[in-house]
Amino acid sequence: MALPLYDSQPARRVPWVTYLLVAANVVVFLMTPMANFATWYGDDQVRECNAVEFTLEHGAIPKELTTGSQQPVPAQIVRECGEATFDKIPWVSAFTSMFLHSNWLHLLGNLVALFVIGMGVEDRLGRLRYLLSYLFFGLVAVYGFAYTSPDSGVPLIGASGAIAGVLGAYLILNPRGRVVSFVPPIIVIRLPVWVVLGYWFVLQWLSLGDKESNVAYVAHIYGFVAGVAFAVLARRAGPARRVAALSRG
């Protein structure tokens, strides 16, 4: 799979929101038990149990989102880790889940894509609209995943749904762009953005039937489609605003 490394079209302004989102994801990750960094979560089995409880508390569980009520902790986890006591508001977890990651590789893979592609989308949408759209893409991905598997009790975490929306928006806002990408094992090549992102989307679609994977491919698809739709509307609204401004003279 091609990993984007550099957007060949430089941003016209400092992408403060992209920097903020990257920093927020890193800081939050360092404060979670999944990072093996914060000492207050204990070691070994204690840390593992704290990571499971933390994920259940702050991750987006489809059954909770579709029913609107917190679900009991699975019996197997209670047997292995003891009772977990926390109060959870399901719709809040749709937001918090976007800033959680299972490990360093999960975090870095997401943030590289966000850093490379996000700057271009922020440059074209503006800071506030970019931030709001990022959160919107993430919510679409989370709730799309939830209503596709409404009875699932497995928590969803990660920024990939929101980032998929950013990828989709970039494809529409800069269709002629080129992205310097790393193609394993050692190839670095400059590719048209529609090749990189088109291949990525097809790969997500073809992977939907992989029952053994723990990757939420359907969330990526929902996020990507939301990004494409939003960018199409944004591009159409741009000329309309300019015409209205001219007519006011």
Side-chain angles (χ1 to χ4, degrees):
M1 179 178 176
L3 177 68
L5 299 176
Y6 178 71
D7 181 1
S8 61
Q9 184 169 339
R12 297 166 295 181
R13 68 188 86 184
V14 179
W16 289 117
V17 174
T18 299
Y19 293 162
L20 175 64
L21 289 172
V22 169
N25 277 278
V26 171
V27 170
V28 169
F29 179 71
L30 291 175
M31 295 176 64
T32 67
M34 289 81 85
N36 290 324
F37 181 80
T39 58
W40 55 81
Y41 289 112
D43 298 313
D44 302 326
Q45 181 65 26
V46 173
R47 177 177 287 273
E48 290 181 12
C49 286
N50 281 327
V52 170
E53 181 176 344
F54 191 93
T55 303
L56 290 172
E57 181 177 1
H58 301 287
I61 298 177
K63 193 167 185 178
E64 293 181 338
L65 294 177
T66 55
T67 62
S69 59
Q70 181 178 342
Q71 299 299 303
V73 175
Q76 181 179 351
I77 294 176
V78 173
R79 287 195 299 270
E80 295 177 355
C81 299
E83 290 288 345
T85 56
F86 56 83
D87 292 321
K88 180 178 182 181
I89 303 175
W91 68 265
V92 173
S93 69
F95 287 95
T96 57
S97 66
M98 294 185 221
F99 296 91
L100 303 181
H101 292 85
S102 58
N103 53 52
W104 284 98
L105 186 61
H106 186 199
L107 174 73
L108 292 175
N110 279 339
L111 295 190
V112 168
L114 175 61
F115 185 78
V116 174
I117 303 298
M119 291 190 291
V121 178
E122 180 178 351
D123 189 57
R124 288 156 183 78
L125 291 180
R127 294 189 179 108
L128 179 59
R129 191 160 56 151
Y130 170 64
L131 175 60
L132 294 177
S133 64
Y134 177 91
L135 296 174
F136 170 72
F137 301 152
L139 289 177
V140 170
V142 168
Y143 276 96
F145 177 80
Y147 281 98
T148 300
S149 304
D151 295 323
S152 174
V154 178
L156 173 69
I157 61 173
S160 54
I163 295 171
V166 175
L167 301 183
Y170 186 90
L171 181 62
I172 300 301
L173 297 173
N174 190 22
R176 298 181 181 179
R178 289 181 175 271
V179 178
V180 177
S181 303
F182 169 69
V183 181
I186 57 173
I187 301 173
V188 176
I189 189 171
R190 189 166 177 260
L191 295 170
V193 68
W194 64 267
V195 172
V196 176
L197 300 186
Y199 172 73
W200 178 86
F201 181 79
V202 170
L203 186 63
Q204 307 308 300
W205 189 271
L206 294 177
S207 300
L208 285 176
D210 187 357
K211 302 298 183 182
E212 297 182 0
S213 175
N214 61 353
V215 178
Y217 294 109
V218 69
H220 299 171
I221 291 174
Y222 276 110
F224 189 88
V225 172
V228 168
F230 179 85
V232 168
L233 294 175
R235 288 192 66 176
R236 290 181 177 177
R241 285 197 298 267
R242 287 194 291 270
V243 170
L246 291 172
S247 65
R248 288 196 295 267

